[in-house]
Amino acid sequence: MANPFYLRDVVSIKDFKREELEYLFEQADRFLEMGYEEKSKYGRGKLMALMFFEPSTRTKTSFEAAMLSIGGHVIGFSGARGTSMEKGESLSDTIRVMDRYADVLVIRNPMEGAARYAAELAEHPVINAGSGSEEHPTQALLDLFTIRRLKGGIDGLRVAVVGDLKYGRTVYSLLNALKLYSVEVYLVSPPQLRIREEALYDLKGMKVHLDVELDEALKLADVIYVTRIQRERFPHPEEYEKVKGSYKIDARAMRLVKEDAILLHPLPRVGEIAPEVDGFGQAKYFEQVRLGRYLRETLLALILNENP
Ligand code: CP
């Protein structure tokens, strides 16, 4: 297969086919084994611009680590503070300026549609690093890569998705990625944070079980994907206070989980997975972080090189 990622935007996971994801994962397997000497040729002489308008630890630093690992360079900013947006410069001009410097742009913005907007403006490829409650496609790519590595494949799995299904952009991207596979999905959430109707509409044709009890899902799942409540997306703080702390994976819950199941979380966690869970063999969220860096290395190398 010719490289389907070359000079391509990564705005929505829905823009990709299963065979394209498989191509990426096979290349990422290769990058996992590769030394710096070999992989550093893929980014040599290339510049990546980060434009993060929301806080980030993993996505921002893993893209930085990934670009440096393939021999490239990084510029950019975190938050509009310190940029000329403080003087009134528009988002569109800011994107156009960064596009004049960089070979690839990575944007995180609280507005839904912001990454698509950037992709339409920019000549260079744009990667969506999170757009409001809408999408976080590279998180979904690394989630699937992790599942595939740790479970030996994706087809046939039972996947429980637990937490904030209403505002969680990682959930929406993950579910749309899983739709390309033959899996059964179990959705667990407080009633106020059920998946949005329009999101459910996109999942037509997928085996999805709604409003599953947490304990039931923990017993049957091969993959348990937990998310935090997205406090920053709530229109009113009191609505957040009503659901805060309404679910928790602790040692008691872990005793229900199958021995060969894996527990994932896009992180950050803010109480929904107790620290005591870290010692359980099924807890794989930090391995997920590690694998994510390689997935992003691979993605950047494929975007920047026609024949990697
Ligand atoms: N998973 C994730 O997007 O983490 P950050 O918000 O720290 O980037």
Side-chain angles (χ1 to χ4, degrees), residues 52 55-61 108 129 136 139 142 169-170 228 265-268 296:
F52 275 64
S56 169
T57 296
R58 272 146 299 275
T59 312
K60 180 173 171 290
T61 55
R108 172 173 284 191
H136 192 349
Q139 179 69 46
L142 79 86
R169 58 192 175 200
T170 64
R228 81 182 159 94
H265 191 307
L267 302 178
R296 289 187 170 122

